[in-house]
Amino acid sequence: MLGHRQLGFDDYLEILRKRWWIILIPAILGCSGVYLYSLSLANQYTSRTLVIVEQQKVPDSYVKSVDSGDIGERLGTMQEQILSRTRLQPIIEKFDLFKTQKGKVPMEDLVDGLRKSIIVMPIKSLVSTREGDLPGFSISFTGNDPRLTQQVCSEILSMFVEENLQLREQRAEGTTDFMKSQLTLAKKDLDAQDAKLADFKRKYIGSLPGNEQADINMVSAYGSQLDAVTSQLTRLQQDKSYMESMLAQQLLAWQTSQKTSGGIGEPHQDALERQLADLQSQLVSLKARYTDDHPDVVKMEDAIAALKKKIEDNQARAQDKTPKGSETATTTTEPQSLQQLRLQIHQADVLIKEKTREQARVRGQLSMAQGRLSMSPGVEEQYKQLTRDYQTALNLYNDLLAKKNQSEMATSLERAQQGEQFRVMDPPNLPEKPSFPNRPAFAGAGLGAGLALGVGLTLLIELRDKNLRTENDVEQFLGLPALALIPVIGDGKGKKDRTGRAMSDDGPKLPEAARV
């Protein structure tokens, strides 16, 4: 009646005393059976090796590695590559693994079995807490033969080491090639920007930013120079006009004296010459106020030219009327003063032409300087855009050049095997005892299973047992208190319970008092 009563410690001891053989026999059978089964299993040997990740020998401040990725991710990539069929099948053929299964099992299953026998386990750092910081890893391989297991583990280890060196070198070379191609494109862009900037400077030379003050100084200088040249030209023109009037007056006086002495002349001719002198004086006054292109000046010059022609015509008619014998007497040389005035007038004409040309040249230079100065804002905006593009291209080129040089040094570092490497701390060991099956563990597991089975059977038997053995059993089963207990009087041959009461074959006899 186990399900209808509460058990104490004494009850459990009583159950164990009665049912010990039910617990012990399954435990012995389970332990011995499982151990005998483990003897039938083939021995498996495990060879292990420890690899640490050794950082590069040259400090990062001198040569920065191009492969700055997570070592854990790189190890995972290498593991997938090495544990592929392409890499594992040659190992099966080289060491003649799975000899008994070849021809019977597909190669895919053999490769999968070999893959399951290889375990790559990263080692967690005890010092660094940075994610991805991997101090090393271990490789283990399990096989049937100890010597062969060690050889296969060594082969896998060498594959990891070689794959790491090759992968890092390939990444460094790939980075260097990429930097070279980008540097070539950046150089082309820089050359194009440089050509544009040079063409712009040649086109707008003198108008570039920074030349404004020079242009202002040039405008001021050319203005002062133009004023000086204009002043000189005006003074020369005035001097010429004055000398021409003096020449006209002296020529008139000399001709008058010649006519008086030679009896030649007309009163009308003197009036024309006086009128010419007046006009020339007016012309001098006009040129002092206006330029040579002014309409009043042009009109006055035309009037003077017409009057001069008229005087020459009158002189020509007068000479025609003069007797031939008197020509020699009237033909005389002009005085030295008149010749001197004519020479001075000629020199003044030469200087006036030179100053006029110089005035035109200075005006042109002044106009160019003013034009450059007026173009400066627009030219400055275009120049800033070009220089900004050029500076951007130059910075990109210099940055790529520095990265290319750094990548080339990193590649040389990897080729010299001075970069990050896998260093073998513990080479693959030769296993001395099998790693599977662990026969003591098998025996312990069988013992535990047998004990669990025995305890389960004991509980089941106790649950199905309906005998009433104690006063508590009577009270729990009937729900009534026991008033008195009548001992069983037997022949002494019957069974007794734990309290010394006689028991029948079917269980304890109910006391009479319990039936009330």
Side-chain angles (χ1 to χ4, degrees):
M1 302 301 294
L2 185 60
H4 298 279
R5 59 190 173 93
Q6 296 180 351
L7 300 180
F9 181 73
D10 294 336
D11 296 326
Y12 286 113
L13 289 179
E14 180 64 19
I15 293 173
L16 181 61
R17 186 184 64 80
K18 291 190 305 178
R19 313 293 186 187
W20 62 267
W21 55 274
I22 300 177
I23 298 175
L24 183 60
I25 292 175
I28 294 174
L29 292 178
C31 179
S32 59
V34 173
Y35 181 77
L36 292 176
Y37 171 75
S38 66
L39 294 176
S40 65
L41 297 177
N43 292 334
Q44 299 289 322
Y45 299 89
T46 300
S47 177
R48 292 182 177 85
T49 180
L50 177 62
V51 181
I52 66 170
V53 180
E54 190 176 46
Q55 301 299 323
Q56 67 178 31
K57 299 177 177 60
V58 181
D60 288 341
S61 57
Y62 292 98
V63 180
K64 189 173 182 59
S65 175
V66 297
D67 189 3
S68 58
D70 188 357
I71 180 63
E73 295 180 358
R74 190 164 75 249
L75 180 62
T77 303
M78 289 188 295
Q79 182 177 353
E80 293 298 326
Q81 293 176 351
I82 293 173
L83 298 184
S84 63
R85 175 177 178 177
T86 306
R87 307 294 291 274
L88 293 182
Q89 185 172 350
I91 295 179
I92 296 176
E93 296 174 352
K94 177 180 179 180
F95 295 100
D96 196 16
L97 302 177
F98 308 108
K99 292 184 292 184
T100 59
Q101 301 179 17
K102 282 186 176 179
K104 302 177 182 179
V105 180
M107 181 58 68
E108 289 288 345
D109 295 340
L110 298 180
V111 170
D112 188 59
L114 179 59
R115 185 182 296 114
K116 293 178 179 179
S117 300
I118 301 171
I119 299 176
V120 180
M121 184 66 65
I123 300 175
K124 298 298 182 181
S125 176
L126 300 178
V127 179
S128 176
T129 58
R130 186 177 58 183
E131 185 178 359
D133 192 3
L134 184 65
F137 59 96
S138 64
I139 302 173
S140 61
F141 173 73
T142 303
N144 297 327
D145 183 75
R147 182 68 61 180
L148 187 61
T149 301
Q150 183 185 29
Q151 294 175 359
V152 173
C153 188
S154 299
E155 182 71 16
I156 297 172
L157 173 63
S158 63
M159 290 171 65
F160 270 93
V161 175
E162 292 174 1
E163 185 69 22
N164 178 62
L165 293 175
Q166 184 178 1
L167 182 61
R168 290 183 61 84
E169 186 174 349
Q170 286 178 353
R171 289 185 177 181
E173 291 178 351
T175 304
T176 302
D177 294 338
F178 175 75
M179 286 299 171
K180 287 181 179 178
S181 62
Q182 293 298 311
L183 184 64
T184 302
L185 296 177
K187 188 176 185 303
K188 289 182 180 179
D189 186 30
L190 180 61
D191 292 340
Q193 295 296 333
D194 195 8
K196 289 181 181 179
L197 188 59
D199 292 340
F200 185 83
K201 287 181 177 180
R202 283 192 296 268
K203 183 178 180 181
Y204 296 101
I205 187 170
S207 301
L208 298 175
N211 295 334
E212 293 86 354
Q213 188 61 42
D215 291 336
I216 292 173
N217 295 335
M218 291 178 67
V219 168
S220 178
Y222 286 143
S224 301
Q225 188 176 356
L226 180 61
D227 293 339
V229 172
T230 303
S231 177
Q232 294 175 3
L233 182 61
T234 302
R235 187 167 56 251
L236 287 173
Q237 289 174 348
Q238 291 175 355
D239 293 344
K240 177 186 174 184
S241 300
Y242 176 74
M243 287 186 291
E244 286 179 345
S245 62
M246 291 292 295
L247 177 63
Q249 292 176 4
Q250 292 183 14
L251 184 60
L252 179 60
W254 178 73
Q255 289 177 353
T256 303
S257 64
Q258 289 293 322
K259 291 175 183 179
T260 303
S261 61
I264 301 174
E266 296 179 359
H268 182 65
Q269 185 75 10
D270 295 337
L272 291 177
E273 290 178 355
R274 286 194 297 272
Q275 185 180 358
L276 176 62
D278 293 338
L279 292 177
Q280 288 177 344
S281 298
Q282 294 178 12
L283 179 62
V284 171
S285 300
L286 290 174
K287 286 187 175 181
R289 290 180 295 172
Y290 307 113
T291 61
D292 294 341
D293 298 334
H294 196 273
D296 294 340
V297 176
V298 174
K299 184 178 180 181
M300 185 62 69
E301 289 177 347
D302 293 341
I304 290 173
L307 185 58
K308 285 182 179 181
K309 188 174 185 307
K310 186 176 181 180
I311 292 173
E312 291 174 357
D313 292 342
N314 290 337
Q315 290 178 354
R317 287 195 298 271
Q319 290 177 359
D320 292 339
K321 295 178 181 180
T322 303
K324 295 181 180 180
S326 64
E327 283 184 10
T328 306
T330 59
T331 303
T332 57
T333 306
E334 290 182 349
Q336 187 69 26
S337 60
L338 292 177
Q339 293 180 3
Q340 230 171 9
L341 282 174
R342 292 184 186 277
L343 179 59
Q344 291 176 359
I345 291 172
H346 176 71
Q347 291 176 350
D349 285 336
V350 174
L351 292 175
I352 287 172
K353 290 180 180 179
E354 290 179 357
K355 292 300 179 181
T356 302
R357 288 194 296 269
E358 184 178 358
Q359 185 185 43
R361 178 178 60 80
V362 174
R363 281 179 178 172
Q365 292 175 344
L366 178 61
S367 178
M368 290 177 60
Q370 290 175 343
R372 289 197 301 267
L373 195 59
S374 63
M375 290 170 57
S376 293
V379 172
E380 183 178 4
E381 183 178 357
Q382 298 180 29
Y383 183 76
K384 285 183 178 179
Q385 179 66 33
L386 286 175
T387 51
R388 185 163 51 246
D389 295 342
Y390 174 78
Q391 190 63 39
T392 301
L394 180 61
N395 293 338
L396 178 61
Y397 177 80
N398 291 333
D399 185 49
L400 290 175
L401 181 61
K403 289 182 178 178
K404 183 192 75 91
N405 294 334
Q406 183 179 359
S407 178
E408 287 178 346
M409 288 191 293
T411 303
S412 302
L413 190 71
E414 295 297 336
R415 288 174 179 171
Q417 296 185 4
Q418 297 295 315
E420 184 181 272
Q421 298 183 31
F422 288 167
R423 186 160 67 91
V424 180
M425 286 294 294
D426 296 331
N429 65 312
L430 179 63
E432 298 179 355
K433 59 180 181 178
S435 59
F436 179 85
N438 188 350
R439 292 181 174 87
F442 270 73
L447 177 62
L451 288 174
L453 179 61
V455 171
L457 291 175
T458 302
L459 292 176
L460 181 62
I461 293 174
E462 287 294 327
L463 289 173
R464 295 175 62 86
D465 186 7
K466 298 180 180 180
N467 292 327
L468 300 176
R469 298 185 177 87
T470 63
E471 180 180 354
N472 291 332
D473 292 345
V474 174
E475 292 177 355
Q476 289 289 336
F477 181 74
L478 298 178
L480 297 174
L483 299 179
L485 296 177
I486 301 175
V488 178
I489 300 174
D491 55 0
K493 297 180 181 180
K495 297 179 181 179
K496 296 181 180 180
D497 61 6
R498 60 187 177 186
T499 58
R501 294 190 298 266
M503 296 179 60
S504 64
D505 293 337
D506 295 332
K509 295 182 179 180
L510 281 174
E512 292 297 332
R515 297 179 184 178
V516 180

